[in-house]
Amino acid sequence: MCRRNFVTIADLSREKILYMIEMAKEFEKHPNRDILKGKVVATLFYEPSTRTRLSFETAANRLGARVIGFSDAKASSVSKGESLKDTILMVSNYADVIAMRHYIEGAAQYASEISPVPIINAGDGAHQHPSQCMLDLYTIYQTQGTLENLNIYLVGDLKYGRTVHSLLMAMRHFNPTFHFISPDELRMPTEYKLYCKEKGIRYEEHTILNEDIISDADIVYMTRVQKERFSDLMEYERVKNTYVLKASMLSKAKANMKILHPLPRVNEIDYDVDDTPQAYYIQQARNGLYAREAIICDVLGISLDDIRNDTTIIDPLKK
């Protein structure tokens, strides 16, 4: 079995993305296995997290691995001044794979260069969130039946939103058309618009969210305005409620359109949307389990064939 890292979505080819989707499909059929029995997964979260941390830990547990780590750096030796390098080298003595979230962009890349065990990037600052991107891709494929030729509307915090940055890069293989909807203060950064031009990705920019704007959408991907990324709280107050998606705004939506959100939501999706057929963000979060099971296995060198031929499947009804 070979060792690999999962640090940036930019490294994944079209074939690899589709391969990972197939792995996630296998785990959705049978999420409970002992294929990682005897392995240890470390989760190092230097930033707060609910879904990402819990889904990584659940993925490890459902595959038979044990979990160590911390959910608050203040409860670790980091509070005593321990460097990232020393923490990674220390934890690698105990774990077979490390999933880490860090507030500094590039921290996961640095960790992957010094760690003797695989590193999974669970989010680094405002840079990337590749494991979220894999569950997003799986969800899009699940709801649309394809990743090809889709109209994807990204709404809200496009400046600091690492989930939308990762999704944009991953979709380069599938001929999408993106619509960027944001206030001027939170526009998609120039570097990502240049990336679109370099890769031949079509995009349009808007500042308004209404039923006419999203009438041609296959996917509406809402994001919260991230208070923790703002150094000027007055600026945050100005933009935090710029876009609120309401059920009344779905009157012209396509039959196949689905609303995604990396969660947590604050005010950007009204609760009246929850009962519409377009709402899919809760199912999207559930898909995080299957996608992260696939990622953990892949970095440990466990192949799709290994998963399909796995004889350690556990039927919870027979326990």
Side-chain angles (χ1 to χ4, degrees), residues 15-26:
E15 292 72 26
K16 184 66 174 183
I17 288 171
L18 295 175
Y19 177 88
M20 295 294 288
I21 286 174
E22 288 300 313
M23 290 182 74
K25 285 169 66 175
E26 293 297 319

Side-chain angles (χ1 to χ4, degrees), residues 14 21 50 89 100 125 130 147 157 187 194 221 230 292 316-317:
R14 171 191 171 88
I21 286 174
T50 301
L89 293 177
M100 63 172 287
L147 294 178
D157 185 354
R187 294 176 70 178
L194 289 173
Y221 195 105
F230 283 78
R292 289 175 175 124
L317 298 179

Side-chain angles (χ1 to χ4, degrees), residues 5-48:
N5 299 297
F6 191 83
V7 171
T8 171
I9 207 73
D11 290 342
L12 299 192
S13 66
R14 171 191 171 88
E15 292 72 26
K16 184 66 174 183
I17 288 171
L18 295 175
Y19 177 88
M20 295 294 288
I21 286 174
E22 288 300 313
M23 290 182 74
K25 285 169 66 175
E26 293 297 319
F27 284 120
E28 183 170 12
K29 294 176 190 174
H30 301 289
N32 300 303
R33 304 164 183 254
D34 269 343
I35 199 168
L36 294 185
K37 188 174 183 179
K39 299 291 186 183
V40 176
V41 176
T43 55
L44 309 184
F45 279 71
Y46 291 80
E47 275 191 324

Side-chain angles (χ1 to χ4, degrees), residues 45-47 70-80 103:
F45 279 71
Y46 291 80
E47 275 191 324
F70 54 78
S71 59
D72 183 352
K74 293 177 182 177
S76 74
S77 290
V78 173
S79 64
K80 302 175 184 178
Y103 51 87

Side-chain angles (χ1 to χ4, degrees), residues 8 42 44 54-55 82 92 98 106 115 119 160 167 205 210 227-228 243-244 290 313 319:
T8 171
L44 309 184
L54 291 181
S55 61
E82 184 171 70
S92 68
I98 297 172
S115 174
I119 296 291
Y160 299 112
L167 184 60
E205 293 187 273
N210 60 34
K227 184 177 181 180
E228 64 270 26
Y243 305 116
V244 179
Y290 316 129
I313 293 171
K319 279 199 156 188

